[in-house]
mmCIF file of all heavy atoms in Angstrom:
data_model
loop_
_atom_site.group_PDB
_atom_site.id
_atom_site.type_symbol
_atom_site.label_atom_id
_atom_site.label_comp_id
_atom_site.label_asym_id
_atom_site.label_seq_id
_atom_site.Cartn_x
_atom_site.Cartn_y
_atom_site.Cartn_z
ATOM 1 N N LEU J 587 61.547 76.455 3.147
ATOM 2 C CA LEU J 587 61.449 75.430 2.111
ATOM 3 C C LEU J 587 60.359 74.422 2.449
ATOM 4 O O LEU J 587 59.873 74.340 3.580
ATOM 5 C CB LEU J 587 62.793 74.725 1.914
ATOM 6 C CG LEU J 587 63.371 73.917 3.084
ATOM 7 C CD1 LEU J 587 62.894 72.470 3.053
ATOM 8 C CD2 LEU J 587 64.889 73.955 3.048
ATOM 9 N N ALA J 588 59.995 73.671 1.428
ATOM 10 C CA ALA J 588 59.036 72.578 1.598
ATOM 11 C C ALA J 588 59.657 71.290 1.063
ATOM 12 O O ALA J 588 60.365 71.310 0.051
ATOM 13 C CB ALA J 588 57.733 72.875 0.857
ATOM 14 N N ARG J 589 59.398 70.193 1.768
ATOM 15 C CA ARG J 589 59.855 68.876 1.308
ATOM 16 C C ARG J 589 58.645 68.125 0.770
ATOM 17 O O ARG J 589 57.871 67.539 1.511
ATOM 18 C CB ARG J 589 60.500 68.116 2.463
ATOM 19 C CG ARG J 589 61.837 68.688 2.922
ATOM 20 C CD ARG J 589 62.326 68.033 4.199
ATOM 21 N NE ARG J 589 61.572 68.478 5.370
ATOM 22 C CZ ARG J 589 61.447 67.787 6.500
ATOM 23 N NH1 ARG J 589 62.007 66.592 6.606
ATOM 24 N NH2 ARG J 589 60.770 68.278 7.508
ATOM 25 N N VAL J 590 58.478 68.188 -0.539
ATOM 26 C CA VAL J 590 57.303 67.609 -1.184
ATOM 27 C C VAL J 590 57.491 66.106 -1.335
ATOM 28 O O VAL J 590 58.486 65.637 -1.897
ATOM 29 C CB VAL J 590 57.060 68.252 -2.566
ATOM 30 C CG1 VAL J 590 55.889 67.580 -3.274
ATOM 31 C CG2 VAL J 590 56.803 69.747 -2.410
ATOM 32 N N ILE J 591 56.530 65.346 -0.809
ATOM 33 C CA ILE J 591 56.573 63.877 -0.892
ATOM 34 C C ILE J 591 56.175 63.445 -2.294
ATOM 35 O O ILE J 591 55.118 63.835 -2.802
ATOM 36 C CB ILE J 591 55.634 63.253 0.150
ATOM 37 C CG1 ILE J 591 56.071 63.685 1.561
ATOM 38 C CG2 ILE J 591 55.619 61.742 0.023
ATOM 39 C CD1 ILE J 591 55.077 63.299 2.641
ATOM 40 N N LEU J 592 57.018 62.652 -2.929
ATOM 41 C CA LEU J 592 56.733 62.209 -4.289
ATOM 42 C C LEU J 592 55.620 61.153 -4.298
ATOM 43 O O LEU J 592 55.676 60.182 -3.526
ATOM 44 C CB LEU J 592 57.988 61.615 -4.938
ATOM 45 C CG LEU J 592 58.836 62.553 -5.796
ATOM 46 C CD1 LEU J 592 59.397 63.680 -4.951
ATOM 47 C CD2 LEU J 592 59.945 61.779 -6.491
ATOM 48 N N PRO J 593 54.623 61.316 -5.168
ATOM 49 C CA PRO J 593 53.657 60.231 -5.371
ATOM 50 C C PRO J 593 54.378 58.983 -5.879
ATOM 51 O O PRO J 593 55.451 59.085 -6.493
ATOM 52 C CB PRO J 593 52.714 60.795 -6.441
ATOM 53 C CG PRO J 593 52.897 62.280 -6.382
ATOM 54 C CD PRO J 593 54.323 62.503 -5.977
ATOM 55 N N HIS J 594 53.815 57.813 -5.634
ATOM 56 C CA HIS J 594 54.504 56.571 -5.997
ATOM 57 C C HIS J 594 54.746 56.457 -7.492
ATOM 58 O O HIS J 594 55.680 55.780 -7.940
ATOM 59 C CB HIS J 594 53.688 55.357 -5.514
ATOM 60 C CG HIS J 594 52.422 55.132 -6.285
ATOM 61 N ND1 HIS J 594 51.260 55.837 -6.049
ATOM 62 C CD2 HIS J 594 52.145 54.272 -7.316
ATOM 63 C CE1 HIS J 594 50.315 55.428 -6.885
ATOM 64 N NE2 HIS J 594 50.829 54.486 -7.659
ATOM 65 N N ASN J 595 53.898 57.132 -8.300
ATOM 66 C CA ASN J 595 54.042 57.032 -9.757
ATOM 67 C C ASN J 595 54.737 58.248 -10.368
ATOM 68 O O ASN J 595 54.739 58.422 -11.578
ATOM 69 C CB ASN J 595 52.670 56.855 -10.407
ATOM 70 C CG ASN J 595 51.731 58.027 -10.117
ATOM 71 O OD1 ASN J 595 51.982 58.804 -9.194
ATOM 72 N ND2 ASN J 595 50.664 58.142 -10.893
ATOM 73 N N ALA J 596 55.338 59.089 -9.534
ATOM 74 C CA ALA J 596 56.000 60.294 -10.043
ATOM 75 C C ALA J 596 57.245 59.928 -10.839
ATOM 76 O O ALA J 596 58.103 59.175 -10.355
ATOM 77 C CB ALA J 596 56.363 61.217 -8.887
ATOM 78 N N ASP J 597 57.350 60.445 -12.051
ATOM 79 C CA ASP J 597 58.532 60.197 -12.875
ATOM 80 C C ASP J 597 59.344 61.477 -13.001
ATOM 81 O O ASP J 597 59.023 62.513 -12.396
ATOM 82 C CB ASP J 597 58.137 59.661 -14.251
ATOM 83 C CG ASP J 597 57.167 60.583 -14.992
ATOM 84 O OD1 ASP J 597 56.975 61.739 -14.544
ATOM 85 O OD2 ASP J 597 56.617 60.159 -16.026
ATOM 86 N N ALA J 598 60.384 61.434 -13.808
ATOM 87 C CA ALA J 598 61.252 62.602 -13.958
ATOM 88 C C ALA J 598 60.496 63.789 -14.540
ATOM 89 O O ALA J 598 60.731 64.942 -14.150
ATOM 90 C CB ALA J 598 62.460 62.245 -14.827
ATOM 91 N N ASP J 599 59.575 63.524 -15.450
ATOM 92 C CA ASP J 599 58.793 64.607 -16.043
ATOM 93 C C ASP J 599 57.944 65.310 -14.981
ATOM 94 O O ASP J 599 57.801 66.540 -15.005
ATOM 95 C CB ASP J 599 57.892 64.075 -17.163
ATOM 96 C CG ASP J 599 58.682 63.683 -18.407
ATOM 97 O OD1 ASP J 599 59.817 64.180 -18.562
ATOM 98 O OD2 ASP J 599 58.170 62.889 -19.213
ATOM 99 N N TRP J 600 57.378 64.538 -14.050
ATOM 100 C CA TRP J 600 56.566 65.136 -12.980
ATOM 101 C C TRP J 600 57.442 66.016 -12.092
ATOM 102 O O TRP J 600 57.049 67.132 -11.721
ATOM 103 C CB TRP J 600 55.909 64.031 -12.158
ATOM 104 C CG TRP J 600 54.966 64.541 -11.107
ATOM 105 C CD1 TRP J 600 53.619 64.749 -11.241
ATOM 106 C CD2 TRP J 600 55.291 64.906 -9.750
ATOM 107 N NE1 TRP J 600 53.096 65.234 -10.058
ATOM 108 C CE2 TRP J 600 54.086 65.335 -9.126
ATOM 109 C CE3 TRP J 600 56.468 64.915 -9.006
ATOM 110 C CZ2 TRP J 600 54.049 65.766 -7.802
ATOM 111 C CZ3 TRP J 600 56.437 65.353 -7.691
ATOM 112 C CH2 TRP J 600 55.234 65.761 -7.093
ATOM 113 N N ILE J 601 58.608 65.530 -11.762
ATOM 114 C CA ILE J 601 59.513 66.283 -10.893
ATOM 115 C C ILE J 601 59.931 67.591 -11.549
ATOM 116 O O ILE J 601 59.919 68.658 -10.922
ATOM 117 C CB ILE J 601 60.747 65.427 -10.551
ATOM 118 C CG1 ILE J 601 60.336 64.250 -9.667
ATOM 119 C CG2 ILE J 601 61.824 66.256 -9.865
ATOM 120 C CD1 ILE J 601 61.409 63.204 -9.489
ATOM 121 N N ILE J 602 60.264 67.525 -12.839
ATOM 122 C CA ILE J 602 60.672 68.732 -13.551
ATOM 123 C C ILE J 602 59.509 69.702 -13.679
ATOM 124 O O ILE J 602 59.671 70.924 -13.545
ATOM 125 C CB ILE J 602 61.255 68.362 -14.924
ATOM 126 C CG1 ILE J 602 62.567 67.585 -14.733
ATOM 127 C CG2 ILE J 602 61.495 69.603 -15.777
ATOM 128 C CD1 ILE J 602 63.126 66.980 -15.998
ATOM 129 N N ALA J 603 58.308 69.178 -13.903
ATOM 130 C CA ALA J 603 57.137 70.041 -14.030
ATOM 131 C C ALA J 603 56.829 70.768 -12.731
ATOM 132 O O ALA J 603 56.438 71.937 -12.735
ATOM 133 C CB ALA J 603 55.929 69.211 -14.471
ATOM 134 N N VAL J 604 57.001 70.092 -11.605
ATOM 135 C CA VAL J 604 56.787 70.732 -10.307
ATOM 136 C C VAL J 604 57.853 71.794 -10.050
ATOM 137 O O VAL J 604 57.581 72.840 -9.453
ATOM 138 C CB VAL J 604 56.789 69.678 -9.183
ATOM 139 C CG1 VAL J 604 56.817 70.343 -7.808
ATOM 140 C CG2 VAL J 604 55.561 68.780 -9.293
ATOM 141 N N SER J 605 59.042 71.549 -10.536
ATOM 142 C CA SER J 605 60.172 72.439 -10.270
ATOM 143 C C SER J 605 60.201 73.661 -11.169
ATOM 144 O O SER J 605 60.699 74.719 -10.763
ATOM 145 C CB SER J 605 61.485 71.675 -10.440
ATOM 146 O OG SER J 605 61.492 70.498 -9.661
ATOM 147 N N ASP J 606 59.699 73.536 -12.389
ATOM 148 C CA ASP J 606 59.847 74.578 -13.394
ATOM 149 C C ASP J 606 58.506 75.241 -13.695
ATOM 150 O O ASP J 606 57.655 74.679 -14.382
ATOM 151 C CB ASP J 606 60.429 73.970 -14.675
ATOM 152 C CG ASP J 606 60.773 75.026 -15.712
ATOM 153 O OD1 ASP J 606 60.420 76.204 -15.514
ATOM 154 O OD2 ASP J 606 61.407 74.682 -16.726
ATOM 155 N N PRO J 607 58.276 76.463 -13.214
ATOM 156 C CA PRO J 607 56.980 77.124 -13.412
ATOM 157 C C PRO J 607 56.712 77.518 -14.856
ATOM 158 O O PRO J 607 55.574 77.802 -15.207
ATOM 159 C CB PRO J 607 57.081 78.366 -12.521
ATOM 160 C CG PRO J 607 58.529 78.622 -12.385
ATOM 161 C CD PRO J 607 59.194 77.277 -12.411
ATOM 162 N N SER J 608 57.757 77.562 -15.697
ATOM 163 C CA SER J 608 57.499 77.877 -17.097
ATOM 164 C C SER J 608 56.699 76.764 -17.766
ATOM 165 O O SER J 608 56.180 76.947 -18.867
ATOM 166 C CB SER J 608 58.815 78.101 -17.848
ATOM 167 O OG SER J 608 59.598 76.924 -17.890
ATOM 168 N N LYS J 609 56.571 75.611 -17.084
ATOM 169 C CA LYS J 609 55.782 74.501 -17.614
ATOM 170 C C LYS J 609 54.399 74.401 -16.954
ATOM 171 O O LYS J 609 53.661 73.444 -17.191
ATOM 172 C CB LYS J 609 56.538 73.174 -17.421
ATOM 173 C CG LYS J 609 57.912 73.153 -18.064
ATOM 174 C CD LYS J 609 58.590 71.810 -17.866
ATOM 175 C CE LYS J 609 60.011 71.816 -18.422
ATOM 176 N NZ LYS J 609 60.040 72.053 -19.856
ATOM 177 N N ASP J 610 54.035 75.379 -16.135
ATOM 178 C CA ASP J 610 52.787 75.297 -15.388
ATOM 179 C C ASP J 610 51.559 75.243 -16.302
ATOM 180 O O ASP J 610 50.587 74.549 -16.006
ATOM 181 C CB ASP J 610 52.661 76.479 -14.422
ATOM 182 C CG ASP J 610 53.501 76.290 -13.168
ATOM 183 O OD1 ASP J 610 54.023 75.182 -12.964
ATOM 184 O OD2 ASP J 610 53.640 77.258 -12.391
ATOM 185 N N LEU J 611 51.578 75.984 -17.398
ATOM 186 C CA LEU J 611 50.417 75.997 -18.284
ATOM 187 C C LEU J 611 50.274 74.682 -19.048
ATOM 188 O O LEU J 611 49.149 74.231 -19.310
ATOM 189 C CB LEU J 611 50.519 77.165 -19.268
ATOM 190 C CG LEU J 611 50.376 78.571 -18.662
ATOM 191 C CD1 LEU J 611 50.469 79.635 -19.758
ATOM 192 C CD2 LEU J 611 49.053 78.704 -17.918
ATOM 193 N N SER J 612 51.391 74.052 -19.389
ATOM 194 C CA SER J 612 51.324 72.802 -20.153
ATOM 195 C C SER J 612 51.098 71.588 -19.251
ATOM 196 O O SER J 612 50.688 70.529 -19.722
ATOM 197 C CB SER J 612 52.617 72.607 -20.968
ATOM 198 O OG SER J 612 53.746 72.586 -20.113
ATOM 199 N N THR J 613 51.392 71.726 -17.962
ATOM 200 C CA THR J 613 51.181 70.626 -17.015
ATOM 201 C C THR J 613 50.461 71.161 -15.775
ATOM 202 O O THR J 613 51.051 71.262 -14.697
ATOM 203 C CB THR J 613 52.512 69.970 -16.609
ATOM 204 O OG1 THR J 613 53.401 70.995 -16.112
ATOM 205 C CG2 THR J 613 53.170 69.275 -17.778
ATOM 206 N N PRO J 614 49.188 71.515 -15.901
ATOM 207 C CA PRO J 614 48.494 72.181 -14.795
ATOM 208 C C PRO J 614 48.096 71.261 -13.641
ATOM 209 O O PRO J 614 47.916 71.729 -12.522
ATOM 210 C CB PRO J 614 47.248 72.765 -15.472
ATOM 211 C CG PRO J 614 47.000 71.848 -16.638
ATOM 212 C CD PRO J 614 48.343 71.402 -17.105
ATOM 213 N N LEU J 615 47.955 69.965 -13.890
ATOM 214 C CA LEU J 615 47.447 69.049 -12.864
ATOM 215 C C LEU J 615 48.608 68.339 -12.175
ATOM 216 O O LEU J 615 48.998 67.237 -12.549
ATOM 217 C CB LEU J 615 46.484 68.034 -13.493
ATOM 218 C CG LEU J 615 45.266 68.642 -14.206
ATOM 219 C CD1 LEU J 615 44.415 67.553 -14.845
ATOM 220 C CD2 LEU J 615 44.431 69.454 -13.214
ATOM 221 N N LYS J 616 49.151 68.969 -11.149
ATOM 222 C CA LYS J 616 50.294 68.396 -10.438
ATOM 223 C C LYS J 616 49.989 68.071 -8.985
ATOM 224 O O LYS J 616 50.700 67.313 -8.358
ATOM 225 C CB LYS J 616 51.487 69.360 -10.503
ATOM 226 C CG LYS J 616 52.025 69.592 -11.889
ATOM 227 C CD LYS J 616 53.266 70.450 -11.864
ATOM 228 C CE LYS J 616 52.953 71.903 -11.603
ATOM 229 N NZ LYS J 616 52.263 72.542 -12.740
#
């Protein structure tokens, strides 16, 4: 596993986008 450090401005949408690859095309810059 990896423990990814959250950026200071990371919100719930960022966390979900990192977690869910089905959103990779709509949120490519993570």
Side-chain angles (χ1 to χ4, degrees):
L587 64 89
R589 290 171 286 156
V590 176
I591 300 171
L592 265 63
H594 71 279
N595 60 343
D597 56 12
D599 288 339
W600 185 92
I601 292 169
I602 294 171
V604 170
S605 307
D606 187 352
S608 64
K609 303 181 184 298
D610 282 350
L611 291 181
S612 59
T613 54
L615 301 177
K616 296 185 285 290

